Amino acid sequence: MNLFNQALLRLKPALDHISVSDEFLEVIRTPERVVQVAIKIKMDNGRIRVFDGYRAVHSTLLGPAKGGIRFHPSVDESEVKSLAFWMAIKCAVAGLPYGGGKGGVKVNTKDLSIGELERLSRGYVRALWKYLGEDEDIPAPDMYTNPKIMAWMTDEYCVLKGRKELGVFTGKPVSFGGSLGRSEATGMGGFYVLQTIQKMTALPRSGARIAIQGLGNVGGSFGRIAAKEGHVIVAVSDSTSALYREEGFDIDAILAYKETFGSLRPVEYKNSELVEVDAKKITHEELLTLDVDILVPAAVEDSITEHIARDVKSKVIIELANGPVTAAADQILEEKGVIVVPDVLANSGGVTVSYLEWVQNRMGMYWTEKEVNEELKKKMVAATEEVWEFSKNRNCSLRTAAYSTALMKLYRAFEECK
Ligand code: GLU
């Protein structure tokens, strides 16, 4: 089964809890638009190379399409279609006036020079700009794209359009129409979701033991704020290694080391100097099956498989990555009573602050970081409470509850304009 059909399967459990018409189901299962383009770039050696670019839009019932652009070798039509569908659900769960969008280029950015990367980013926009717009489809960063790439893309778009329209991309640098708080937003939003869930469960409000798989931008900002709020980050990993330390890690120190040297090292600050501390090297699988209170997969898709799910010991999983738990693993975790906070809720802080960026661009008025975070918190708490309540009332998983509440919002919009 291709990725897109697998993604659609996630709708099935929700349909046991809500009733919607067949005509709505037909609409919600079908992407509205998928565009494939050839992006021709002159490489540094003078040769022309062609890259496959894509942009998919899934359901604009609630508003213009919204979602990232990834630069990754796995990008293809099926992947962007399933990720656009996920974005449509995510935006509905988060209460944002958007449909789903996702795009990408099949490329390994490690093979490109900085100049080639800029030409590819601008080339993507030249090929697709007619399909983008503040009220049409609003991209943002995703895997291997960042604020700098959003700046090149926005600039290219404005040149082609002949006027400044900064709200067409989000996740831009703060000095070029970006929002304060955007780069930490996904981790921060995930933490607000956790806080809301802690209030409703026996999970410790402080001192919870947390394992984070993937200490990148998202996992790193989650870890930083969780540690600041008194939780203990006992395990961290990146793509090459995983570390365990019973008394917890100094996340600020590890992130500072990683920023400078690019690798994960067990360090802490002593008199403002980074010094090495004792830690145990563990495998990626050991990290995912540690006896901790909270497990945070913040790396790649499908990292918690059936085989790993059987050995998971944490009480709560916060999916900061997109799709880190396979469908079969999900079933096992549900039977074991593990609370899985689904990606469409847990990592929606990123697109929520993207929305706030878009609002600020369009108003021409900019908020302080405190104002942005307060608004983010309000939206994350409301979305979590809504999903939690549905799951308690219907005795279903949080994932089924999230999909059900999202589908109901989409269904209401569909019925209103029928
Ligand atoms: N790429 C992010 C996501 O998957 C952010 C999308 C956005 O900000 O539009 O949620």
Side-chain angles (χ1 to χ4, degrees):
M1 196 186 302
N2 72 23
L3 263 183
F4 180 61
N5 289 329
Q6 268 177 45
L8 287 185
L9 280 184
R10 301 264 186 178
L11 289 175
K12 222 163 155 260
L15 298 176
D16 293 337
H17 294 275
I18 55 167
S19 89
V20 293
S21 63
D22 287 345
E23 54 180 6
F24 168 72
L25 277 181
E26 193 181 340
V27 168
I28 207 63
R29 283 195 167 116
T30 319
E32 281 178 18
R33 182 166 74 206
V34 188
V35 187
Q36 180 176 352
V37 291
I39 308 168
K40 295 185 221 41
I41 299 300
K42 188 174 273 184
M43 307 304 281
D44 290 347
N45 63 9
R47 271 200 59 191
I48 301 283
R49 264 190 68 189
V50 183
F51 295 90
D52 295 335
Y54 302 86
R55 185 74 189 168
V57 168
H58 196 103
S59 175
T60 50
L61 278 165
L62 297 175
K66 184 86 194 81
I69 296 173
R70 58 173 60 174
F71 283 179
H72 194 266
S74 73
V75 169
D76 63 14
E77 184 184 320
S78 186
E79 186 178 272
V80 293
K81 267 161 59 178
S82 42
L83 292 166
F85 160 74
W86 255 330
M87 284 307 299
I89 299 290
K90 192 188 294 188
C91 292
V93 170
L96 306 177
Y98 290 138
K102 196 69 122 199
V105 178
K106 196 181 196 63
V107 63
N108 186 347
T109 51
K110 292 181 184 129
D111 298 340
L112 302 181
S113 70
I114 186 85
E116 290 165 344
L117 186 63
E118 174 174 357
R119 294 196 288 282
L120 183 64
S121 307
R122 291 183 181 276
Y124 182 88
V125 175
R126 273 199 304 282
L128 284 160
W129 72 282
K130 289 211 169 106
Y131 301 95
L132 308 177
E134 285 183 338
D135 291 308
E136 176 71 30
D137 182 4
I138 308 134
D142 200 84
M143 280 166 77
Y144 296 97
T145 51
N146 55 31
K148 179 78 193 154
I149 291 177
M150 294 305 115
W152 287 327
M153 289 187 166
T154 309
D155 182 56
E156 190 68 26
Y157 181 86
C158 294
V159 168
L160 290 161
K161 200 77 194 197
R163 63 179 178 157
K164 286 281 176 219
E165 205 181 290
L166 293 184
V168 64
F169 286 87
T170 61
K172 302 180 291 291
V174 174
S175 49
F176 185 52
S179 175
L180 290 165
R182 175 63 184 86
S183 55
E184 303 80 29
T186 311
M188 188 75 108
F191 186 74
Y192 291 142
V193 172
L194 171 63
Q195 268 188 330
T196 314
I197 286 179
Q198 279 168 327
K199 285 199 188 120
M200 317 204 203
T201 60
L203 263 180
R205 302 271 183 98
S206 164
R209 298 171 76 251
I210 302 179
I212 302 175
Q213 181 211 24
L215 208 67
N217 172 39
V218 173
S221 46
F222 177 91
R224 194 178 261 149
I225 164 162
K228 212 165 107 207
E229 296 291 325
H231 298 297
V232 189
I233 316 298
V234 294
V236 291
S237 70
D238 67 4
S239 58
T240 55
S241 63
L243 299 168
Y244 177 80
R245 186 167 194 249
E246 182 60 33
E247 51 278 63
F249 287 107
D250 179 339
I251 296 296
D252 280 329
I254 293 195
L255 290 173
Y257 184 93
K258 203 167 150 50
E259 174 96 25
T260 318
F261 302 103
S263 61
L264 205 59
R265 246 350 228 266
V267 287
E268 68 178 21
Y269 279 113
K270 216 173 230 153
N271 305 326
S272 324
E273 295 279 317
L274 289 176
V275 293
E276 186 127 358
V277 293
D278 280 343
K280 200 171 133 197
K281 265 195 169 235
I282 55 174
T283 64
H284 287 97
E285 186 166 333
E286 279 168 339
L287 181 140
L288 295 170
T289 54
L290 281 172
D291 190 2
V292 289
D293 296 305
I294 301 161
L295 173 63
V296 183
V300 287
E301 281 146 45
D302 295 340
S303 49
I304 302 184
T305 57
E306 241 175 302
H307 158 74
I308 289 175
R310 285 198 194 94
D311 294 332
V312 162
K313 292 173 203 68
S314 74
K315 303 171 191 71
V316 175
I317 295 180
I318 314 258
E319 292 187 341
L320 283 189
N322 281 323
V325 174
T326 67
D330 212 20
Q331 184 92 37
I332 294 170
L333 294 169
E334 196 176 340
E335 281 158 19
K336 286 173 69 163
V338 178
I339 298 173
V340 179
V341 187
D343 46 9
V344 288
L345 171 65
N347 72 28
S348 65
V351 68
T352 298
V353 176
S354 272
Y355 162 65
L356 300 177
E357 178 176 335
W358 178 78
V359 168
Q360 292 172 81
N361 290 151
R362 310 198 81 187
M363 286 195 303
M365 197 178 99
Y366 289 83
W367 296 323
T368 61
E369 189 160 354
K370 188 164 170 275
E371 285 169 319
V372 171
N373 281 336
E374 277 167 7
E375 202 54 44
L376 169 66
K377 184 170 183 176
K378 248 192 264 167
K379 293 198 92 55
M380 298 308 294
V381 171
T384 311
E385 286 177 349
E386 185 179 26
V387 170
W388 185 267
E389 208 167 297
F390 190 99
S391 108
K392 289 298 129 202
N393 289 342
R394 303 299 180 94
N395 193 23
C396 65
S397 70
L398 290 175
R399 192 183 315 278
T400 300
Y403 274 75
S404 304
T405 53
L407 282 178
M408 283 314 292
K409 289 177 195 171
L410 290 158
Y411 185 48
R412 269 182 235 123
F414 173 78
E415 285 293 309
E416 290 298 353
C417 55
K418 207 162 87 175

